[in-house]
Amino acid sequence: MAAAAGALVPMKGIRRLTGLLLALVPALAGLAQADEGLAWQQQTDRWSVWQRLDKEALGETPQEGQTGEQGGALLVLFPGYSVQRSWAERWAEQLIASPVAGEVTETWVFAGPKSVFYENRELPITASLERLQQSRAFDRVIVVAHSSGSFPAHLWINQLASRAQLGERYRGRVDYANLDGGSGKGLEGGDLALGHAALALAGQWLSVSVHDRVTGSFSANHDAMIGLAKALPEVFTHRLLEVDSGCAANAGWCLHDVPINGRPHDQATFDLERDYTVFTSAHPVTTDWWPVPESE
């Protein structure tokens, strides 16, 4: 029977209602955050940073210049050629929300290279490593590069290794997933391929390509990913993603985006903006390549 208008609610009922409302607040806040996107801190127009808010609330966010153990993982994303930083942030948000990324406490997102082979070296590699130098230590660093993003990723890893303090801190603690990218070998400057010092940082390193079991087709850089694993077998393992992607037969550039979006939006080729930003149950984010520590 419904209560009459203006009827008093017993004190026990008030307490119960209050408890329910308090329980709903975090859930409602989470929905608002999901709708509005994560709070990205723009460092430059080509680099942004996100930090897990619950860690900040606990007072675990490092102060500038502070060193020591922070724990958790730093996720560093290098998207492909011409991908806008804001597009890559949408991809990052999907990764961060997935179960595999529960340990990630901070994420850095770069814009994609302005040219396929990254000739201009325009990303703030030095500035980002200065930030890493000044921060507390992470349990591990997870570097993920798609397509041409592998070239600045290699430069970033090489320069990390060249800094004595960082090289020692992260020896064996840098995981790397090269998603249908390249090796950088033979490119101008010689610094876009992984150098000898960088290999000492290797945790789990994966060269990832895609095979569509329906059409029998492979992603555009499948051979390059096999070649990278063969060239550096001491650090790289080739991981082949077996998928039913919806891509047309021989559509290697459609399959090229499967490591980002499990069901690319254009069956014939890549559609970078939509593949990096539009994720639904029909177009899920791909995480099958996520590097899992050996202990797990």
Side-chain angles (χ1 to χ4, degrees):
M1 182 176 178
L8 296 175
V9 180
M11 184 59 66
K12 183 176 181 181
I14 291 175
R15 292 195 187 100
R16 183 176 299 169
L17 180 60
T18 301
L20 287 172
L21 289 172
L22 289 173
L24 281 171
V25 168
L28 292 173
L31 287 174
Q33 185 173 344
D35 289 340
E36 297 172 4
L38 299 178
W40 291 95
Q41 305 164 25
Q42 184 174 332
Q43 307 301 305
T44 74
D45 62 342
R46 307 192 66 78
W47 171 39
S48 57
V49 169
W50 169 85
Q51 294 173 308
R52 193 175 292 280
L53 294 178
D54 57 347
K55 292 294 182 183
E56 293 177 352
L58 292 171
E60 297 180 16
T61 302
Q63 301 298 316
E64 185 174 354
Q66 189 174 11
T67 59
E69 290 298 323
Q70 177 182 353
L74 169 65
L75 175 63
V76 185
L77 300 181
F78 290 91
Y81 160 63
S82 78
V83 172
Q84 296 181 21
R85 192 201 74 247
S86 60
W87 301 354
E89 288 172 357
R90 304 292 81 76
W91 173 42
E93 289 169 5
Q94 294 294 316
L95 291 175
I96 293 165
S98 66
V100 297
E103 68 182 303
V104 173
T105 55
E106 187 162 324
T107 300
W108 298 358
V109 172
F110 292 91
K114 290 182 177 180
S115 60
V116 172
F117 296 114
Y118 191 51
E119 291 91 345
N120 294 331
R121 313 293 203 275
E122 72 276 358
L123 296 178
I125 301 295
T126 300
S128 67
L129 290 171
E130 287 293 336
R131 179 185 174 102
L132 186 62
Q133 185 101 34
Q134 294 171 7
S135 74
R136 297 180 185 178
F138 295 91
D139 290 334
R140 65 174 178 148
V141 176
I142 304 169
V143 180
V144 181
H146 178 228
S147 190
S148 294
S150 56
F151 306 134
H154 294 169
L155 179 61
W156 193 87
I157 295 171
N158 285 336
Q159 291 196 12
L160 190 161
S162 72
R163 294 171 177 247
Q165 182 181 352
L166 288 178
E168 184 60 32
R169 182 189 298 176
Y170 291 109
R171 180 179 294 271
R173 296 165 64 188
V174 175
D175 293 334
Y176 175 40
N178 184 329
L179 307 180
D180 211 46
S183 70
K185 186 176 181 180
L187 294 183
E188 184 179 354
D191 54 354
L192 302 184
L194 291 160
H196 179 74
L199 305 187
L201 303 176
Q204 186 177 25
W205 284 12
L206 302 170
S207 61
V208 179
S209 60
V210 180
H211 175 244
D212 191 297
R213 57 178 174 266
V214 176
T215 66
S217 304
F218 291 92
S219 54
N221 291 330
H222 171 69
D223 290 342
M225 292 296 88
I226 291 177
L228 181 59
K230 287 183 177 179
L232 296 171
E234 67 276 24
V235 292
F236 271 104
T237 300
H238 177 239
R239 179 171 294 179
L240 184 64
L241 304 184
E242 294 282 354
V243 302
D244 176 2
S245 66
C247 295
N250 301 314
W253 290 110
C254 173
L255 291 169
H256 181 65
D257 276 7
V258 166
I260 306 298
N261 194 312
R263 199 85 173 178
H265 291 270
D266 187 327
Q267 295 181 350
T269 187
F270 51 77
D271 181 335
L272 291 176
E273 181 174 6
R274 289 198 294 167
D275 288 344
Y276 269 87
T277 64
V278 181
F279 297 94
T280 65
S281 58
H283 299 276
V285 68
T286 302
T287 60
D288 292 345
W289 45 259
W290 189 268
V292 178
E294 295 297 330
S295 60
E296 298 182 16

